[in-house]
PDB file of all heavy atoms in Angstrom:
ATOM      1  N   THR A   1     -80.276 -15.236 -30.525  1.00 69.00           N
ATOM      2  CA  THR A   1     -79.651 -14.714 -29.297  1.00 69.00           C
ATOM      3  C   THR A   1     -79.343 -13.277 -29.507  1.00 69.00           C
ATOM      4  O   THR A   1     -79.352 -12.409 -28.441  1.00 69.00           O
ATOM      5  CB  THR A   1     -78.333 -15.353 -28.886  1.00 69.00           C
ATOM      6  OG1 THR A   1     -77.421 -15.398 -29.941  1.00 69.00           O
ATOM      7  CG2 THR A   1     -78.655 -16.821 -28.525  1.00 69.00           C
ATOM      8  N   SER A   2     -79.048 -12.767 -30.679  1.00 59.00           N
ATOM      9  CA  SER A   2     -78.562 -11.368 -30.921  1.00 59.00           C
ATOM     10  C   SER A   2     -79.622 -10.274 -30.584  1.00 59.00           C
ATOM     11  O   SER A   2     -79.302  -9.147 -30.350  1.00 59.00           O
ATOM     12  CB  SER A   2     -78.024 -11.201 -32.377  1.00 59.00           C
ATOM     13  OG  SER A   2     -79.165 -11.311 -33.217  1.00 59.00           O
ATOM     14  N   TRP A   3     -80.894 -10.674 -30.613  1.00 60.00           N
ATOM     15  CA  TRP A   3     -81.928  -9.616 -30.357  1.00 60.00           C
ATOM     16  C   TRP A   3     -82.177  -9.392 -28.853  1.00 60.00           C
ATOM     17  O   TRP A   3     -82.847  -8.450 -28.567  1.00 60.00           O
ATOM     18  CB  TRP A   3     -83.299 -10.243 -30.992  1.00 60.00           C
ATOM     19  CG  TRP A   3     -83.743 -11.476 -30.315  1.00 60.00           C
ATOM     20  CD1 TRP A   3     -83.430 -12.783 -30.600  1.00 60.00           C
ATOM     21  CD2 TRP A   3     -84.653 -11.615 -29.107  1.00 60.00           C
ATOM     22  NE1 TRP A   3     -84.009 -13.684 -29.773  1.00 60.00           N
ATOM     23  CE2 TRP A   3     -84.741 -12.851 -28.804  1.00 60.00           C
ATOM     24  CE3 TRP A   3     -85.180 -10.619 -28.312  1.00 60.00           C
ATOM     25  CZ2 TRP A   3     -85.453 -13.342 -27.690  1.00 60.00           C
ATOM     26  CZ3 TRP A   3     -85.943 -11.056 -27.174  1.00 60.00           C
ATOM     27  CH2 TRP A   3     -86.085 -12.419 -26.894  1.00 60.00           C
ATOM     28  N   ARG A   4     -81.617 -10.187 -27.999  1.00 68.00           N
ATOM     29  CA  ARG A   4     -81.866  -9.995 -26.540  1.00 68.00           C
ATOM     30  C   ARG A   4     -81.517  -8.659 -26.073  1.00 68.00           C
ATOM     31  O   ARG A   4     -80.409  -8.054 -26.536  1.00 68.00           O
ATOM     32  CB  ARG A   4     -81.041 -11.052 -25.921  1.00 68.00           C
ATOM     33  CG  ARG A   4     -81.550 -12.509 -26.026  1.00 68.00           C
ATOM     34  CD  ARG A   4     -80.675 -13.472 -25.286  1.00 68.00           C
ATOM     35  NE  ARG A   4     -81.125 -14.846 -25.549  1.00 68.00           N
ATOM     36  CZ  ARG A   4     -80.521 -15.950 -25.162  1.00 68.00           C
ATOM     37  NH1 ARG A   4     -79.320 -15.861 -24.525  1.00 68.00           N
ATOM     38  NH2 ARG A   4     -81.043 -17.124 -25.442  1.00 68.00           N
ATOM     39  N   PRO A   5     -82.235  -7.985 -25.215  1.00 68.00           N
ATOM     40  CA  PRO A   5     -81.898  -6.605 -24.818  1.00 68.00           C
ATOM     41  C   PRO A   5     -80.600  -6.595 -23.956  1.00 68.00           C
ATOM     42  O   PRO A   5     -80.118  -7.629 -23.490  1.00 68.00           O
ATOM     43  CB  PRO A   5     -83.159  -6.304 -23.978  1.00 68.00           C
ATOM     44  CG  PRO A   5     -83.623  -7.590 -23.559  1.00 68.00           C
ATOM     45  CD  PRO A   5     -83.370  -8.543 -24.550  1.00 68.00           C
ATOM     46  N   PRO A   6     -80.045  -5.400 -23.714  1.00 69.00           N
ATOM     47  CA  PRO A   6     -78.942  -5.232 -22.868  1.00 69.00           C
ATOM     48  C   PRO A   6     -79.088  -5.793 -21.469  1.00 69.00           C
ATOM     49  O   PRO A   6     -80.258  -5.797 -20.981  1.00 69.00           O
ATOM     50  CB  PRO A   6     -78.604  -3.698 -22.738  1.00 69.00           C
ATOM     51  CG  PRO A   6     -79.360  -3.175 -24.138  1.00 69.00           C
ATOM     52  CD  PRO A   6     -80.554  -4.124 -24.266  1.00 69.00           C
ATOM     53  N   ASP A   7     -78.002  -6.273 -20.944  1.00 69.00           N
ATOM     54  CA  ASP A   7     -78.041  -6.797 -19.466  1.00 69.00           C
ATOM     55  C   ASP A   7     -76.821  -6.282 -18.772  1.00 69.00           C
ATOM     56  O   ASP A   7     -75.993  -5.502 -19.350  1.00 69.00           O
ATOM     57  CB  ASP A   7     -78.316  -8.313 -19.435  1.00 69.00           C
ATOM     58  CG  ASP A   7     -77.061  -8.967 -20.209  1.00 69.00           C
ATOM     59  OD1 ASP A   7     -76.019  -8.498 -20.237  1.00 69.00           O
ATOM     60  OD2 ASP A   7     -77.429 -10.104 -20.750  1.00 69.00           O
ATOM     61  N   ALA A   8     -76.692  -6.691 -17.604  1.00 71.00           N
ATOM     62  CA  ALA A   8     -75.496  -6.256 -16.724  1.00 71.00           C
ATOM     63  C   ALA A   8     -74.207  -6.544 -17.382  1.00 71.00           C
ATOM     64  O   ALA A   8     -73.173  -5.819 -17.222  1.00 71.00           O
ATOM     65  CB  ALA A   8     -75.630  -6.850 -15.428  1.00 71.00           C
ATOM     66  N   ASP A   9     -74.064  -7.678 -18.062  1.00 69.00           N
ATOM     67  CA  ASP A   9     -72.818  -8.114 -18.655  1.00 69.00           C
ATOM     68  C   ASP A   9     -72.584  -7.610 -20.189  1.00 69.00           C
ATOM     69  O   ASP A   9     -71.528  -7.498 -20.575  1.00 69.00           O
ATOM     70  CB  ASP A   9     -72.698  -9.662 -18.680  1.00 69.00           C
ATOM     71  CG  ASP A   9     -72.563 -10.132 -17.242  1.00 69.00           C
ATOM     72  OD1 ASP A   9     -71.977  -9.430 -16.386  1.00 69.00           O
ATOM     73  OD2 ASP A   9     -73.196 -11.254 -16.962  1.00 69.00           O
ATOM     74  N   HIS A  10     -73.769  -7.353 -20.879  1.00 67.00           N
ATOM     75  CA  HIS A  10     -73.678  -6.858 -22.203  1.00 67.00           C
ATOM     76  C   HIS A  10     -74.475  -5.599 -22.309  1.00 67.00           C
ATOM     77  O   HIS A  10     -75.726  -5.678 -22.747  1.00 67.00           O
ATOM     78  CB  HIS A  10     -74.188  -7.951 -23.213  1.00 67.00           C
ATOM     79  CG  HIS A  10     -73.567  -9.232 -22.993  1.00 67.00           C
ATOM     80  ND1 HIS A  10     -73.967 -10.215 -22.035  1.00 67.00           N
ATOM     81  CD2 HIS A  10     -72.448  -9.847 -23.676  1.00 67.00           C
ATOM     82  CE1 HIS A  10     -73.073 -11.302 -22.191  1.00 67.00           C
ATOM     83  NE2 HIS A  10     -72.297 -11.099 -23.126  1.00 67.00           N
ATOM     84  N   GLN A  11     -73.880  -4.486 -21.890  1.00 62.00           N
ATOM     85  CA  GLN A  11     -74.630  -3.290 -21.734  1.00 62.00           C
ATOM     86  C   GLN A  11     -75.056  -2.561 -23.071  1.00 62.00           C
ATOM     87  O   GLN A  11     -75.811  -1.659 -23.122  1.00 62.00           O
ATOM     88  CB  GLN A  11     -73.890  -2.310 -20.890  1.00 62.00           C
ATOM     89  CG  GLN A  11     -73.616  -2.798 -19.537  1.00 62.00           C
ATOM     90  CD  GLN A  11     -72.801  -1.942 -18.584  1.00 62.00           C
ATOM     91  OE1 GLN A  11     -72.432  -0.824 -19.066  1.00 62.00           O
ATOM     92  NE2 GLN A  11     -72.534  -2.336 -17.385  1.00 62.00           N
ATOM     93  N   TYR A  12     -74.486  -3.007 -24.220  1.00 66.00           N
ATOM     94  CA  TYR A  12     -74.847  -2.557 -25.540  1.00 66.00           C
ATOM     95  C   TYR A  12     -75.667  -3.628 -26.298  1.00 66.00           C
ATOM     96  O   TYR A  12     -75.717  -3.567 -27.539  1.00 66.00           O
ATOM     97  CB  TYR A  12     -73.616  -2.096 -26.371  1.00 66.00           C
ATOM     98  CG  TYR A  12     -72.957  -0.838 -25.932  1.00 66.00           C
ATOM     99  CD1 TYR A  12     -72.043  -0.669 -25.029  1.00 66.00           C
ATOM    100  CD2 TYR A  12     -73.476   0.367 -26.577  1.00 66.00           C
ATOM    101  CE1 TYR A  12     -71.546   0.415 -24.613  1.00 66.00           C
ATOM    102  CE2 TYR A  12     -72.978   1.569 -26.253  1.00 66.00           C
ATOM    103  CZ  TYR A  12     -72.007   1.716 -25.193  1.00 66.00           C
ATOM    104  OH  TYR A  12     -71.441   2.808 -24.924  1.00 66.00           O
ATOM    105  N   GLY A  13     -76.130  -4.682 -25.542  1.00 65.00           N
ATOM    106  CA  GLY A  13     -76.983  -5.608 -26.225  1.00 65.00           C
ATOM    107  C   GLY A  13     -76.057  -6.776 -26.708  1.00 65.00           C
ATOM    108  O   GLY A  13     -74.837  -6.887 -26.430  1.00 65.00           O
ATOM    109  N   HIS A  14     -76.645  -7.672 -27.489  1.00 64.00           N
ATOM    110  CA  HIS A  14     -76.007  -8.897 -28.006  1.00 64.00           C
ATOM    111  C   HIS A  14     -75.879  -8.933 -29.495  1.00 64.00           C
ATOM    112  O   HIS A  14     -75.658  -9.924 -30.082  1.00 64.00           O
ATOM    113  CB  HIS A  14     -76.754 -10.134 -27.556  1.00 64.00           C
ATOM    114  CG  HIS A  14     -76.895 -10.268 -26.122  1.00 64.00           C
ATOM    115  ND1 HIS A  14     -77.783  -9.531 -25.298  1.00 64.00           N
ATOM    116  CD2 HIS A  14     -76.266 -11.144 -25.220  1.00 64.00           C
ATOM    117  CE1 HIS A  14     -77.643  -9.829 -23.991  1.00 64.00           C
ATOM    118  NE2 HIS A  14     -76.789 -10.736 -23.902  1.00 64.00           N
ATOM    119  N   GLY A  15     -75.953  -7.695 -30.183  1.00 66.00           N
ATOM    120  CA  GLY A  15     -75.917  -7.661 -31.581  1.00 66.00           C
ATOM    121  C   GLY A  15     -74.729  -8.205 -32.304  1.00 66.00           C
ATOM    122  O   GLY A  15     -74.762  -8.660 -33.450  1.00 66.00           O
ATOM    123  N   LYS A  16     -73.543  -8.059 -31.602  1.00 73.00           N
ATOM    124  CA  LYS A  16     -72.291  -8.402 -32.294  1.00 73.00           C
ATOM    125  C   LYS A  16     -72.166 -10.011 -32.430  1.00 73.00           C
ATOM    126  O   LYS A  16     -71.234 -10.391 -33.126  1.00 73.00           O
ATOM    127  CB  LYS A  16     -71.142  -7.889 -31.505  1.00 73.00           C
ATOM    128  CG  LYS A  16     -70.969  -6.329 -31.758  1.00 73.00           C
ATOM    129  CD  LYS A  16     -69.591  -5.809 -31.405  1.00 73.00           C
ATOM    130  CE  LYS A  16     -69.391  -4.487 -31.652  1.00 73.00           C
ATOM    131  NZ  LYS A  16     -68.134  -3.895 -31.473  1.00 73.00           N
ATOM    132  N   ILE A  17     -73.121 -10.664 -31.864  1.00 70.00           N
ATOM    133  CA  ILE A  17     -73.033 -12.093 -32.024  1.00 70.00           C
ATOM    134  C   ILE A  17     -73.261 -12.427 -33.515  1.00 70.00           C
ATOM    135  O   ILE A  17     -72.680 -13.341 -34.117  1.00 70.00           O
ATOM    136  CB  ILE A  17     -74.266 -12.835 -31.250  1.00 70.00           C
ATOM    137  CG1 ILE A  17     -73.858 -12.760 -29.757  1.00 70.00           C
ATOM    138  CG2 ILE A  17     -74.355 -14.255 -31.604  1.00 70.00           C
ATOM    139  CD1 ILE A  17     -74.963 -13.283 -28.780  1.00 70.00           C
ATOM    140  N   GLU A  18     -74.139 -11.575 -34.211  1.00 69.00           N
ATOM    141  CA  GLU A  18     -74.305 -11.779 -35.604  1.00 69.00           C
ATOM    142  C   GLU A  18     -73.072 -11.460 -36.443  1.00 69.00           C
ATOM    143  O   GLU A  18     -72.727 -12.131 -37.449  1.00 69.00           O
ATOM    144  CB  GLU A  18     -75.430 -10.884 -36.112  1.00 69.00           C
ATOM    145  CG  GLU A  18     -76.857 -11.272 -35.625  1.00 69.00           C
ATOM    146  CD  GLU A  18     -77.906 -10.660 -36.490  1.00 69.00           C
ATOM    147  OE1 GLU A  18     -77.586 -10.202 -37.700  1.00 69.00           O
ATOM    148  OE2 GLU A  18     -79.096 -10.699 -36.145  1.00 69.00           O
ATOM    149  N   ASN A  19     -72.348 -10.484 -35.953  1.00 72.00           N
ATOM    150  CA  ASN A  19     -71.112 -10.158 -36.639  1.00 72.00           C
ATOM    151  C   ASN A  19     -70.089 -11.260 -36.417  1.00 72.00           C
ATOM    152  O   ASN A  19     -69.312 -11.602 -37.415  1.00 72.00           O
ATOM    153  CB  ASN A  19     -70.384  -8.831 -36.091  1.00 72.00           C
ATOM    154  CG  ASN A  19     -71.476  -7.759 -36.188  1.00 72.00           C
ATOM    155  OD1 ASN A  19     -71.680  -6.956 -35.268  1.00 72.00           O
ATOM    156  ND2 ASN A  19     -72.167  -7.572 -37.356  1.00 72.00           N
ATOM    157  N   LEU A  20     -69.964 -11.874 -35.334  1.00 77.00           N
ATOM    158  CA  LEU A  20     -69.138 -13.044 -35.044  1.00 77.00           C
ATOM    159  C   LEU A  20     -69.523 -14.232 -35.953  1.00 77.00           C
ATOM    160  O   LEU A  20     -68.654 -14.938 -36.455  1.00 77.00           O
ATOM    161  CB  LEU A  20     -69.150 -13.446 -33.585  1.00 77.00           C
ATOM    162  CG  LEU A  20     -68.378 -12.515 -32.631  1.00 77.00           C
ATOM    163  CD1 LEU A  20     -68.626 -12.887 -31.186  1.00 77.00           C
ATOM    164  CD2 LEU A  20     -66.828 -12.721 -32.860  1.00 77.00           C
ATOM    165  N   ALA A  21     -70.793 -14.407 -36.091  1.00 73.00           N
ATOM    166  CA  ALA A  21     -71.295 -15.496 -36.898  1.00 73.00           C
ATOM    167  C   ALA A  21     -70.899 -15.253 -38.360  1.00 73.00           C
ATOM    168  O   ALA A  21     -70.463 -16.293 -39.068  1.00 73.00           O
ATOM    169  CB  ALA A  21     -72.884 -15.659 -36.766  1.00 73.00           C
ATOM    170  N   ALA A  22     -71.003 -14.086 -38.833  1.00 73.00           N
ATOM    171  CA  ALA A  22     -70.631 -13.777 -40.142  1.00 73.00           C
ATOM    172  C   ALA A  22     -69.112 -13.980 -40.409  1.00 73.00           C
ATOM    173  O   ALA A  22     -68.722 -14.463 -41.466  1.00 73.00           O
ATOM    174  CB  ALA A  22     -70.935 -12.330 -40.532  1.00 73.00           C
ATOM    175  N   LEU A  23     -68.309 -13.624 -39.421  1.00 80.00           N
ATOM    176  CA  LEU A  23     -66.777 -13.807 -39.469  1.00 80.00           C
ATOM    177  C   LEU A  23     -66.539 -15.319 -39.490  1.00 80.00           C
ATOM    178  O   LEU A  23     -65.605 -15.817 -40.202  1.00 80.00           O
ATOM    179  CB  LEU A  23     -66.080 -13.052 -38.340  1.00 80.00           C
ATOM    180  CG  LEU A  23     -64.637 -13.219 -38.423  1.00 80.00           C
ATOM    181  CD1 LEU A  23     -64.058 -12.546 -39.745  1.00 80.00           C
ATOM    182  CD2 LEU A  23     -64.051 -12.377 -37.272  1.00 80.00           C
ATOM    183  N   SER A  24     -67.210 -16.134 -38.690  1.00 78.00           N
ATOM    184  CA  SER A  24     -66.998 -17.511 -38.586  1.00 78.00           C
ATOM    185  C   SER A  24     -67.325 -18.187 -39.971  1.00 78.00           C
ATOM    186  O   SER A  24     -66.613 -19.058 -40.453  1.00 78.00           O
ATOM    187  CB  SER A  24     -67.840 -18.173 -37.505  1.00 78.00           C
ATOM    188  OG  SER A  24     -67.498 -17.631 -36.210  1.00 78.00           O
ATOM    189  N   GLU A  25     -68.431 -17.776 -40.558  1.00 73.00           N
ATOM    190  CA  GLU A  25     -68.822 -18.369 -41.863  1.00 73.00           C
ATOM    191  C   GLU A  25     -67.749 -17.936 -42.947  1.00 73.00           C
ATOM    192  O   GLU A  25     -67.399 -18.789 -43.813  1.00 73.00           O
ATOM    193  CB  GLU A  25     -70.228 -17.698 -42.274  1.00 73.00           C
ATOM    194  CG  GLU A  25     -71.344 -18.160 -41.409  1.00 73.00           C
ATOM    195  CD  GLU A  25     -72.552 -17.468 -41.859  1.00 73.00           C
ATOM    196  OE1 GLU A  25     -72.770 -17.277 -43.024  1.00 73.00           O
ATOM    197  OE2 GLU A  25     -73.430 -17.191 -40.957  1.00 73.00           O
ATOM    198  N   THR A  26     -67.161 -16.797 -42.780  1.00 79.00           N
ATOM    199  CA  THR A  26     -66.182 -16.368 -43.763  1.00 79.00           C
ATOM    200  C   THR A  26     -64.896 -17.303 -43.675  1.00 79.00           C
ATOM    201  O   THR A  26     -64.393 -17.773 -44.663  1.00 79.00           O
ATOM    202  CB  THR A  26     -65.705 -14.980 -43.562  1.00 79.00           C
ATOM    203  OG1 THR A  26     -66.955 -14.154 -43.697  1.00 79.00           O
ATOM    204  CG2 THR A  26     -64.673 -14.440 -44.568  1.00 79.00           C
ATOM    205  N   ILE A  27     -64.555 -17.566 -42.451  1.00 83.00           N
ATOM    206  CA  ILE A  27     -63.391 -18.418 -42.215  1.00 83.00           C
ATOM    207  C   ILE A  27     -63.598 -19.883 -42.739  1.00 83.00           C
ATOM    208  O   ILE A  27     -62.643 -20.422 -43.426  1.00 83.00           O
ATOM    209  CB  ILE A  27     -63.018 -18.537 -40.728  1.00 83.00           C
ATOM    210  CG1 ILE A  27     -62.592 -17.138 -40.245  1.00 83.00           C
ATOM    211  CG2 ILE A  27     -61.824 -19.523 -40.454  1.00 83.00           C
ATOM    212  CD1 ILE A  27     -62.378 -17.026 -38.664  1.00 83.00           C
ATOM    213  N   LEU A  28     -64.807 -20.319 -42.557  1.00 77.00           N
ATOM    214  CA  LEU A  28     -65.065 -21.670 -43.139  1.00 77.00           C
ATOM    215  C   LEU A  28     -65.013 -21.670 -44.653  1.00 77.00           C
ATOM    216  O   LEU A  28     -64.556 -22.606 -45.270  1.00 77.00           O
ATOM    217  CB  LEU A  28     -66.559 -22.059 -42.707  1.00 77.00           C
ATOM    218  CG  LEU A  28     -66.673 -22.470 -41.153  1.00 77.00           C
ATOM    219  CD1 LEU A  28     -68.191 -22.673 -40.834  1.00 77.00           C
ATOM    220  CD2 LEU A  28     -65.765 -23.601 -40.845  1.00 77.00           C
ATOM    221  N   LEU A  29     -65.570 -20.621 -45.289  1.00 76.00           N
ATOM    222  CA  LEU A  29     -65.541 -20.576 -46.715  1.00 76.00           C
ATOM    223  C   LEU A  29     -64.058 -20.427 -47.235  1.00 76.00           C
ATOM    224  O   LEU A  29     -63.698 -21.034 -48.317  1.00 76.00           O
ATOM    225  CB  LEU A  29     -66.280 -19.316 -47.106  1.00 76.00           C
ATOM    226  CG  LEU A  29     -67.853 -19.470 -47.205  1.00 76.00           C
ATOM    227  CD1 LEU A  29     -68.382 -18.107 -47.589  1.00 76.00           C
ATOM    228  CD2 LEU A  29     -68.283 -20.521 -48.181  1.00 76.00           C
ATOM    229  N   VAL A  30     -63.208 -19.731 -46.479  1.00 84.00           N
ATOM    230  CA  VAL A  30     -61.829 -19.608 -46.981  1.00 84.00           C
ATOM    231  C   VAL A  30     -61.086 -20.968 -46.945  1.00 84.00           C
ATOM    232  O   VAL A  30     -60.426 -21.382 -47.835  1.00 84.00           O
ATOM    233  CB  VAL A  30     -61.082 -18.577 -46.128  1.00 84.00           C
ATOM    234  CG1 VAL A  30     -59.620 -18.654 -46.441  1.00 84.00           C
ATOM    235  CG2 VAL A  30     -61.599 -17.182 -46.398  1.00 84.00           C
ATOM    236  N   LEU A  31     -61.297 -21.704 -45.755  1.00 81.00           N
ATOM    237  CA  LEU A  31     -60.757 -23.037 -45.661  1.00 81.00           C
ATOM    238  C   LEU A  31     -61.225 -23.994 -46.762  1.00 81.00           C
ATOM    239  O   LEU A  31     -60.417 -24.712 -47.373  1.00 81.00           O
ATOM    240  CB  LEU A  31     -61.047 -23.649 -44.272  1.00 81.00           C
ATOM    241  CG  LEU A  31     -60.399 -22.865 -43.071  1.00 81.00           C
ATOM    242  CD1 LEU A  31     -60.948 -23.510 -41.742  1.00 81.00           C
ATOM    243  CD2 LEU A  31     -58.870 -22.944 -43.116  1.00 81.00           C
ATOM    244  N   THR A  32     -62.480 -23.941 -47.120  1.00 75.00           N
ATOM    245  CA  THR A  32     -63.029 -24.729 -48.118  1.00 75.00           C
ATOM    246  C   THR A  32     -62.357 -24.438 -49.436  1.00 75.00           C
ATOM    247  O   THR A  32     -62.064 -25.331 -50.197  1.00 75.00           O
ATOM    248  CB  THR A  32     -64.614 -24.462 -48.312  1.00 75.00           C
ATOM    249  OG1 THR A  32     -65.236 -24.772 -46.958  1.00 75.00           O
ATOM    250  CG2 THR A  32     -65.115 -25.449 -49.251  1.00 75.00           C
ATOM    251  N   SER A  33     -62.233 -23.170 -49.708  1.00 79.00           N
ATOM    252  CA  SER A  33     -61.675 -22.720 -51.033  1.00 79.00           C
ATOM    253  C   SER A  33     -60.201 -23.264 -51.221  1.00 79.00           C
ATOM    254  O   SER A  33     -59.902 -23.734 -52.338  1.00 79.00           O
ATOM    255  CB  SER A  33     -61.742 -21.159 -51.143  1.00 79.00           C
ATOM    256  OG  SER A  33     -63.011 -20.705 -51.074  1.00 79.00           O
ATOM    257  N   PHE A  34     -59.378 -23.101 -50.113  1.00 85.00           N
ATOM    258  CA  PHE A  34     -58.052 -23.618 -50.260  1.00 85.00           C
ATOM    259  C   PHE A  34     -57.987 -25.197 -50.478  1.00 85.00           C
ATOM    260  O   PHE A  34     -57.155 -25.666 -51.163  1.00 85.00           O
ATOM    261  CB  PHE A  34     -57.250 -23.189 -48.997  1.00 85.00           C
ATOM    262  CG  PHE A  34     -56.819 -21.777 -49.060  1.00 85.00           C
ATOM    263  CD1 PHE A  34     -57.139 -20.865 -48.134  1.00 85.00           C
ATOM    264  CD2 PHE A  34     -55.982 -21.361 -50.097  1.00 85.00           C
ATOM    265  CE1 PHE A  34     -56.774 -19.545 -48.103  1.00 85.00           C
ATOM    266  CE2 PHE A  34     -55.514 -20.036 -50.142  1.00 85.00           C
ATOM    267  CZ  PHE A  34     -55.928 -19.167 -49.180  1.00 85.00           C
ATOM    268  N   TRP A  35     -58.909 -25.869 -49.804  1.00 77.00           N
ATOM    269  CA  TRP A  35     -58.988 -27.357 -50.091  1.00 77.00           C
ATOM    270  C   TRP A  35     -59.309 -27.644 -51.489  1.00 77.00           C
ATOM    271  O   TRP A  35     -58.741 -28.510 -52.042  1.00 77.00           O
ATOM    272  CB  TRP A  35     -59.970 -28.011 -49.056  1.00 77.00           C
ATOM    273  CG  TRP A  35     -60.101 -29.406 -49.238  1.00 77.00           C
ATOM    274  CD1 TRP A  35     -59.313 -30.393 -48.799  1.00 77.00           C
ATOM    275  CD2 TRP A  35     -61.184 -30.058 -49.980  1.00 77.00           C
ATOM    276  NE1 TRP A  35     -59.854 -31.614 -49.156  1.00 77.00           N
ATOM    277  CE2 TRP A  35     -60.923 -31.401 -49.992  1.00 77.00           C
ATOM    278  CE3 TRP A  35     -62.291 -29.557 -50.743  1.00 77.00           C
ATOM    279  CZ2 TRP A  35     -61.759 -32.366 -50.584  1.00 77.00           C
ATOM    280  CZ3 TRP A  35     -63.016 -30.569 -51.408  1.00 77.00           C
ATOM    281  CH2 TRP A  35     -62.856 -31.839 -51.316  1.00 77.00           C
ATOM    282  N   ILE A  36     -60.321 -26.851 -52.031  1.00 76.00           N
ATOM    283  CA  ILE A  36     -60.706 -27.119 -53.381  1.00 76.00           C
ATOM    284  C   ILE A  36     -59.508 -26.869 -54.284  1.00 76.00           C
ATOM    285  O   ILE A  36     -59.311 -27.643 -55.300  1.00 76.00           O
ATOM    286  CB  ILE A  36     -61.884 -26.270 -53.776  1.00 76.00           C
ATOM    287  CG1 ILE A  36     -63.166 -26.644 -52.992  1.00 76.00           C
ATOM    288  CG2 ILE A  36     -62.092 -26.177 -55.312  1.00 76.00           C
ATOM    289  CD1 ILE A  36     -64.305 -25.621 -53.144  1.00 76.00           C
ATOM    290  N   LEU A  37     -58.837 -25.806 -54.080  1.00 82.00           N
ATOM    291  CA  LEU A  37     -57.668 -25.471 -54.978  1.00 82.00           C
ATOM    292  C   LEU A  37     -56.618 -26.512 -54.925  1.00 82.00           C
ATOM    293  O   LEU A  37     -56.041 -26.980 -55.930  1.00 82.00           O
ATOM    294  CB  LEU A  37     -57.045 -24.051 -54.509  1.00 82.00           C
ATOM    295  CG  LEU A  37     -57.816 -22.923 -54.806  1.00 82.00           C
ATOM    296  CD1 LEU A  37     -57.222 -21.684 -54.088  1.00 82.00           C
ATOM    297  CD2 LEU A  37     -57.955 -22.607 -56.296  1.00 82.00           C
ATOM    298  N   LYS A  38     -56.290 -27.107 -53.698  1.00 80.00           N
ATOM    299  CA  LYS A  38     -55.290 -28.195 -53.612  1.00 80.00           C
ATOM    300  C   LYS A  38     -55.738 -29.340 -54.394  1.00 80.00           C
ATOM    301  O   LYS A  38     -55.004 -29.936 -55.118  1.00 80.00           O
ATOM    302  CB  LYS A  38     -55.211 -28.515 -52.155  1.00 80.00           C
ATOM    303  CG  LYS A  38     -54.276 -29.718 -51.859  1.00 80.00           C
ATOM    304  CD  LYS A  38     -54.160 -30.011 -50.372  1.00 80.00           C
ATOM    305  CE  LYS A  38     -53.321 -31.153 -50.166  1.00 80.00           C
ATOM    306  NZ  LYS A  38     -53.841 -32.413 -50.618  1.00 80.00           N
ATOM    307  N   GLU A  39     -57.011 -29.807 -54.230  1.00 74.00           N
ATOM    308  CA  GLU A  39     -57.550 -31.011 -54.987  1.00 74.00           C
ATOM    309  C   GLU A  39     -57.547 -30.731 -56.455  1.00 74.00           C
ATOM    310  O   GLU A  39     -57.210 -31.593 -57.244  1.00 74.00           O
ATOM    311  CB  GLU A  39     -58.910 -31.322 -54.447  1.00 74.00           C
ATOM    312  CG  GLU A  39     -58.945 -31.791 -53.043  1.00 74.00           C
ATOM    313  CD  GLU A  39     -58.214 -33.079 -52.860  1.00 74.00           C
ATOM    314  OE1 GLU A  39     -58.294 -33.970 -53.753  1.00 74.00           O
ATOM    315  OE2 GLU A  39     -57.407 -33.212 -51.790  1.00 74.00           O
ATOM    316  N   ALA A  40     -57.888 -29.456 -56.926  1.00 77.00           N
ATOM    317  CA  ALA A  40     -57.977 -29.242 -58.316  1.00 77.00           C
ATOM    318  C   ALA A  40     -56.603 -29.272 -58.991  1.00 77.00           C
ATOM    319  O   ALA A  40     -56.468 -29.787 -60.069  1.00 77.00           O
ATOM    320  CB  ALA A  40     -58.564 -27.900 -58.593  1.00 77.00           C
ATOM    321  N   VAL A  41     -55.560 -28.820 -58.281  1.00 80.00           N
ATOM    322  CA  VAL A  41     -54.215 -28.808 -58.879  1.00 80.00           C
ATOM    323  C   VAL A  41     -53.753 -30.297 -59.054  1.00 80.00           C
ATOM    324  O   VAL A  41     -53.147 -30.632 -59.977  1.00 80.00           O
ATOM    325  CB  VAL A  41     -53.275 -28.083 -57.947  1.00 80.00           C
ATOM    326  CG1 VAL A  41     -51.838 -28.252 -58.375  1.00 80.00           C
ATOM    327  CG2 VAL A  41     -53.597 -26.563 -57.986  1.00 80.00           C
ATOM    328  N   GLY A  42     -54.118 -31.083 -58.069  1.00 75.00           N
ATOM    329  CA  GLY A  42     -53.822 -32.503 -58.204  1.00 75.00           C
ATOM    330  C   GLY A  42     -54.474 -33.213 -59.409  1.00 75.00           C
ATOM    331  O   GLY A  42     -53.881 -34.003 -60.056  1.00 75.00           O
TER     332      GLY A  42
END
C-alpha cells in the first residue's frame, strides 16, 4: 500500500505506512523481550 501515489486524502502519498509498520514491529519485539525476561528469571 505504501507505494500508492498521492490522493485527495493523502497528499504526500502513503509512504508513512512503512514507518508505522516498522514501529508496530518494534513494539511487538519489546513485548516479547519482556516476556522472555520474566520466564528466564523464573
Side-chain angles (χ1 to χ4, degrees):
T1 56
S2 63
W3 64 270
R4 293 176 181 173
D7 54 32
D9 295 324
H10 306 87
Q11 298 180 0
Y12 282 90
H14 301 75
K16 287 198 175 183
I17 293 176
E18 288 202 19
N19 306 132
L20 282 171
L23 184 60
S24 299
E25 294 177 35
T26 301
I27 294 172
L28 290 175
L29 282 174
V30 170
L31 292 175
T32 306
S33 299
F34 281 120
W35 178 81
I36 294 172
L37 288 173
K38 176 180 176 296
E39 293 296 318
V41 170

